[in-house]
Amino acid sequence: MTRRHWIALSFLVVAAGAALWFGWRQHEQEWLQRPIAALGEAVVFEVPAGASLSAVAGALKQRGLLASPGAWVRHAKRTGVATRIQSGEYELRPGATPVAILDQFVAGEVLLHTLTIPEGWTARQALAAIQSHPQVAVELQGLTERQWMARIGLPDQHPEGQFFPDTYRFPRGTSDRELLMQAHARLQRELQAA
């Protein structure tokens, strides 16, 4: 073979490799934008605290929600969001694409639960309702009113009349202390607005 033949052959090999690479990349990009077929109905999925993107991709694959976890991880790395996923409980809805799920995890659009504190309830009744919610982390169990009021930053105050009755939305794992602090902050805002 002459030198020209080697050059032509080398050029053909490089061109074929580039064509294969571009075709594979195009296929991967199309897959990332295609709705996930397994999401026929809403699914709750949890991203554990401290989980790596690869571990999350593997868990999604195990649940049948991600056919190509490697492509998903590569996309996250290419777009600079691989280390920005946030832990929490997510609701994955029908029609979601792999890219949309990644965006949801990066934005921290976690599933919110609701709890209503009715008007006229005592502070003890409100705390009991909060603590009985299955998605609330209980921190104030067994404490006296004085102790739990101190823990929420209201020492030496009586709890009655300190919490605004309303429906509150919160992510799983929010503590009873945090919800009482939200209800008190809401009361303060309502009083200032009035």
Side-chain angles (χ1 to χ4, degrees), residues 27-28 81 111 169:
H27 174 73
E28 193 171 88
V81 299
L111 177 64
R169 294 173 54 82

Side-chain angles (χ1 to χ4, degrees), residues 31-47 53 55-61 63-69 72-73 75-76 79 81-82 84-111:
W31 172 80
L32 288 164
Q33 299 296 332
R34 196 175 309 128
I36 298 169
L39 278 175
E41 59 184 37
V43 170
V44 175
F45 180 83
E46 183 176 1
V47 174
L53 184 66
V56 172
L60 285 166
K61 181 175 176 60
R63 299 261 316 257
L65 301 173
L66 208 58
S68 182
W72 194 69
V73 170
H75 173 76
T79 57
V81 299
R84 295 182 25 213
I85 61 169
Q86 298 180 44
S87 63
E89 187 178 39
Y90 293 88
E91 183 177 34
L92 309 181
R93 297 194 173 135
T97 65
V99 168
I101 289 175
L102 180 62
D103 292 344
Q104 188 178 359
F105 293 171
V106 169
E109 296 170 359
V110 295
L111 177 64

Side-chain angles (χ1 to χ4, degrees), residues 5-178:
H5 287 118
W6 280 111
I7 292 172
L9 183 61
S10 297
F11 177 76
L12 286 174
V13 168
V14 169
L20 284 172
W21 184 83
F22 281 114
W24 169 77
R25 180 86 185 266
Q26 180 65 30
H27 174 73
E28 193 171 88
Q29 289 300 315
E30 289 172 5
W31 172 80
L32 288 164
Q33 299 296 332
R34 196 175 309 128
I36 298 169
L39 278 175
E41 59 184 37
V43 170
V44 175
F45 180 83
E46 183 176 1
V47 174
S52 69
L53 184 66
S54 295
V56 172
L60 285 166
K61 181 175 176 60
Q62 283 182 337
R63 299 261 316 257
L65 301 173
L66 208 58
S68 182
W72 194 69
V73 170
R74 282 189 296 278
H75 173 76
K77 288 179 179 178
R78 270 194 311 271
T79 57
V81 299
T83 60
R84 295 182 25 213
I85 61 169
Q86 298 180 44
S87 63
E89 187 178 39
Y90 293 88
E91 183 177 34
L92 309 181
R93 297 194 173 135
T97 65
V99 168
I101 289 175
L102 180 62
D103 292 344
Q104 188 178 359
F105 293 171
V106 169
E109 296 170 359
V110 295
L111 177 64
L112 297 178
H113 300 277
T114 59
L115 172 83
T116 300
I117 300 174
E119 194 170 336
W121 272 19
T122 66
R124 276 265 172 222
Q125 287 173 310
L127 180 59
I130 290 170
Q131 290 177 333
S132 69
H133 194 288
Q135 305 305 330
V136 171
V138 177
E139 293 180 6
L140 305 175
Q141 187 75 35
L143 300 181
T144 66
E145 288 179 352
R146 184 180 183 95
Q147 290 171 323
W148 55 266
M149 288 299 285
R151 292 258 178 103
I152 64 171
L154 301 170
D156 303 323
Q157 290 193 33
H158 194 273
E160 297 309 326
Q162 296 296 325
F163 308 106
F164 192 78
D166 200 1
T167 298
Y168 294 90
R169 294 173 54 82
F170 60 93
R172 186 176 87 170
T174 300
S175 71
D176 50 0
R177 181 183 57 79
E178 292 169 313

